[in-house]
Amino acid sequence: GAPNVSTATAVREQHGHDESMHPCAPPDVVVWPQAVGQVQELAALCHRCRVPMVPFGTGTGLEGGVNAVQGGVCFDLSRMDGITELSLEDFSVTVEPGVTRKALNKHLRGTGLWFPVGTVG
């Protein structure tokens, strides 16, 4: 519904570029799935209809990866921001794709662990 789907020009333009030098290429629609099942259903629908899918995190990339050069559906994953598991014993944490580094470090505060900038994996 409306709070989870937008075709507004401003929203589409916000999701059609990152911090790269590439010009804005907005998607046709932006959706905010909130569960894995919703992502699966949306992906299956896009695949069936041959509509491009563009994942969107925070829009801070430098590669132009969020530019929807062929239109399509932007999957904004920012509302999938749960931290689902933390194992202090093996220094691992399981997060949903919308978890930011700052949110993760806030969650880790007091454990002796932290997630530094530039960590891959």
Side-chain angles (χ1 to χ4, degrees), residues 94-108:
T94 304
V95 301
E96 292 181 342
V99 173
T100 64
R101 179 185 54 81
K102 287 182 180 181
L104 177 57
N105 281 327
K106 182 177 179 182
H107 183 81
L108 294 174

Side-chain angles (χ1 to χ4, degrees), residues 3 6 12 22 53 60 64 74 81 84 86 89-90 92 108 112 116 118:
S6 180
R12 292 174 40 245
H22 303 290
M53 297 174 278
T60 58
C74 174
D81 60 355
T84 58
L86 171 60
E89 295 77 32
D90 64 6
S92 68
L108 294 174

Side-chain angles (χ1 to χ4, degrees), residues 5-112:
V5 178
S6 180
T7 57
T9 301
V11 173
R12 292 174 40 245
E13 287 178 353
Q14 174 191 4
H15 287 81
H17 67 89
D18 54 17
E19 298 296 324
S20 70
M21 64 180 178
H22 303 290
C24 182
D28 298 312
V29 63
V30 178
V31 297
W32 287 267
Q34 296 175 40
V36 172
Q38 291 175 334
V39 173
Q40 291 170 329
E41 289 180 37
L42 289 164
L45 179 62
C46 288
H47 176 73
R48 210 169 32 252
C49 296
R50 303 181 67 88
V51 174
M53 297 174 278
V54 182
F56 187 91
T58 58
T60 58
L62 301 173
E63 309 83 18
V66 300
N67 292 43
V69 295
Q70 295 179 340
V73 178
C74 174
F75 287 51
D76 183 327
L77 303 172
S78 62
R79 295 182 186 167
M80 294 180 67
D81 60 355
I83 298 173
T84 58
E85 187 178 342
L86 171 60
S87 174
L88 298 175
E89 295 77 32
D90 64 6
F91 305 105
S92 68
V93 62
T94 304
V95 301
E96 292 181 342
V99 173
T100 64
R101 179 185 54 81
K102 287 182 180 181
L104 177 57
N105 281 327
K106 182 177 179 182
H107 183 81
L108 294 174
R109 189 175 297 138
T111 67

